[in-house]
Amino acid sequence: MSCPFATAAAVESAPLAGPLPAAYPEAVNRRYRSIEDPAVVRQILRRAEEFTPANALSTAIRLSPAALRILAAARFALPPVLASASGREHMSVRRVVAGFFSPAKVQAQGAFIEERVRGICGELEETYRAGGAVDLADRLAAAIPPEVMQKLTGIPVPPIDLLKRWSRHSLELFWGWPDERRQLVLAASAAEFFVWLVGAVDGSVAREDGNLYAALHRAGVEKRRIISLGYFLAIAGQETTTMLIQTAMFGALADGRWDACADPETGGQASKEVVREVLARASSVPTWRRIAAMDAEVEGESFLAGDELVLRLSGGMPEGPDDDSLAFGYGIHRCLGAGIARLETELVLGATARALPGIELVDREPRWNHLLSFQTPADVLTRLRADAPMPRKQKEHAQ
């Protein structure tokens, strides 16, 4: 079944996400057909030759000539690769990238993630003890994924402030609906990131130290496609995981499961349950795009060649309780980072709850950032609960 954006069904099944936008821009509604039924979504994703990912990295709206000139001046180009490619072009890259995200390599990151979370939480204690508020989205969720991505792939990561600005601007440019003035800012940021990335790929290929870019080069992948993959990884590889961690922490704090996540005995399972529910109801990537390459019929629905589709992956009409089976896509394009994103979120949530068991949300109804394929609470602002035990350091000082 296909339906308009921001349907009542989607809102009711995604309580963690808060209200969806009252309306998407008319240009978006005209361009895309929204597919909500999981059975239809699964079939479309399975039939990759009929419904291709050619529009996966297209901008959601047409950019102004001035914005396009800024991108052209930097020779900005994202040729099809991995999530936006199909056939041999897709599989040749996927085989190489998959080796960097094997189950063994993913599990090996667990100790580092938990240790890093404990260190960051220790730095936040003074603010909490002084009665201050801490945005866990900014201070914690944003910090871990880039470091994990660098450890897994060996590719360079720009300074965190630049990385966050570049990736968030790119999300807005490609999946948002900025006006023409805003497009100029976002295009300039994307061009700046692209130029940095060209240099990062050149340097990594020259090093030949086993990093992902060098491995792709040895496999015969063209430089321009390696750059395109690097651009995508900067978004999918860390920003979407940051968003997922934010949503999971917000969800656990909002619905009273923070204490269960903090419990040494129940925390692991409680964290898994929170993350599973978030993926099913309010994933950071609730939709993804496809385009019909030919006339086709799926589960009784007719599609014409050229139809651009937005497929509901999360928060639509689940087939069962907390069904997260589509959260990372389906079929040959299923996200290669699914394992690390899930593990990272579970571990960050559990380790943070154990380190900071006495905190609460300052605002239980924060503003949510919504784009065509991405969503997250704008912040996870927290403070020490009034009835919480005095933190250990403060107890010692008082004595």
Side-chain angles (χ1 to χ4, degrees):
M1 131 179 178
S2 61
C3 21
F5 292 99
T7 62
V11 174
E12 290 172 1
S13 65
L16 288 173
L20 293 172
Y24 285 81
E26 185 58 30
V28 172
N29 287 323
R30 283 198 309 268
R31 181 174 180 180
Y32 297 102
R33 178 176 172 181
S34 180
I35 309 300
E36 305 273 334
D37 187 334
V40 178
V41 170
R42 190 171 281 107
Q43 285 295 323
I44 288 172
L45 291 174
R46 178 182 289 146
R47 292 157 62 171
E49 295 302 316
E50 297 171 78
F51 299 92
T52 80
N55 62 347
L57 294 184
S58 301
T59 55
I61 60 172
R62 311 297 181 189
L63 297 185
S64 68
L68 292 173
R69 284 195 293 271
I70 291 173
L71 296 173
R75 298 185 177 180
F76 186 100
L78 297 177
V81 64
L82 205 56
S84 57
S86 56
R88 184 175 300 176
E89 279 189 336
H90 168 253
M91 292 308 300
S92 63
V93 173
R94 188 178 180 88
R95 280 192 292 269
V96 176
V97 177
F100 287 80
F101 294 89
S102 68
K105 290 183 177 180
V106 166
Q107 290 298 321
Q109 304 307 310
F112 167 78
I113 293 169
E114 293 192 310
E115 180 181 359
R116 190 73 179 91
V117 171
R118 286 193 296 270
I120 294 174
C121 289
E123 297 171 1
L124 301 178
E125 285 183 4
E126 185 175 348
T127 301
Y128 284 120
R129 291 199 308 272
V134 173
D135 180 7
L136 292 179
D138 178 61
R139 297 295 300 277
L140 198 152
I144 306 295
E147 296 177 10
V148 174
M149 182 57 56
Q150 187 171 36
K151 284 174 62 63
L152 282 170
T153 65
I155 59 177
V157 174
I160 189 70
D161 58 335
L162 282 178
L163 175 63
K164 291 301 175 181
R165 175 168 64 83
W166 286 341
S167 58
R168 289 167 183 172
H169 281 178
S170 289
L171 286 178
E172 186 180 352
L173 181 66
F174 281 85
W175 286 276
W177 27 88
D179 60 29
E180 292 193 5
R181 178 175 295 184
R182 179 64 175 167
Q183 287 178 26
L184 301 182
V185 174
L186 301 177
S189 179
E192 184 182 358
F193 177 33
F194 187 82
V195 170
W196 178 90
L197 189 58
V198 171
V201 169
D202 286 341
S204 299
V205 168
R207 287 204 314 272
E208 295 188 354
D209 58 0
N211 69 77
L212 174 58
Y213 294 158
L216 290 167
H217 176 72
R218 286 196 305 274
V221 180
E222 300 170 280
K223 175 182 171 181
R224 65 192 189 94
R225 293 177 65 214
I226 297 175
I227 294 169
S228 183
L229 176 66
Y231 197 95
F232 178 74
L233 278 179
I235 299 172
Q238 58 86 25
E239 193 63 34
T240 57
T241 304
T242 289
M243 292 178 172
L244 186 61
I245 293 171
Q246 290 175 215
T247 308
M249 291 194 295
F250 172 78
L253 286 162
D255 67 10
R257 284 185 284 180
W258 191 257
D259 289 346
C261 293
D263 190 297
E265 295 185 5
T266 66
Q269 185 58 37
S271 297
K272 289 179 185 292
E273 291 172 359
V274 169
V275 173
R276 182 171 60 250
E277 181 178 318
V278 166
L279 287 169
R281 298 183 178 183
S283 173
S284 55
V285 187
T287 69
W288 205 244
R289 287 179 284 180
R290 284 292 184 270
I291 185 168
M294 59 190 74
D295 294 353
E297 184 170 309
V298 181
E299 300 284 330
E301 287 203 54
S302 297
F303 298 87
L304 299 177
D307 281 353
E308 293 206 72
L309 314 175
V310 172
L311 310 179
R312 176 69 63 179
L313 305 180
S314 171
M317 296 181 291
E319 296 176 341
D322 298 341
D323 179 12
D324 63 351
S325 62
L326 287 173
F328 293 102
Y330 185 79
I332 63 172
H333 285 91
R334 188 175 189 274
C335 177
L336 286 170
I340 188 60
R342 188 187 293 268
L343 177 72
E344 206 170 330
T345 306
E346 292 170 355
L347 293 181
V348 170
L349 173 59
T352 304
R354 289 192 299 274
L356 303 171
I359 63 173
E360 65 179 0
L361 289 170
V362 172
D363 183 2
R364 298 178 65 85
E365 297 183 1
R367 176 177 60 84
W368 277 71
N369 294 328
H370 287 286
L371 299 172
L372 182 60
S373 290
F374 301 96
Q375 64 182 5
T376 190
D379 57 57
V380 185
L381 198 61
T382 60
R383 63 192 170 200
L384 196 65
R385 293 198 310 258
D387 63 345
M390 188 182 299
R392 178 177 54 81
K393 290 184 180 179
Q394 188 166 329
K395 284 182 180 178
E396 293 172 354
H397 178 75
Q399 292 171 350

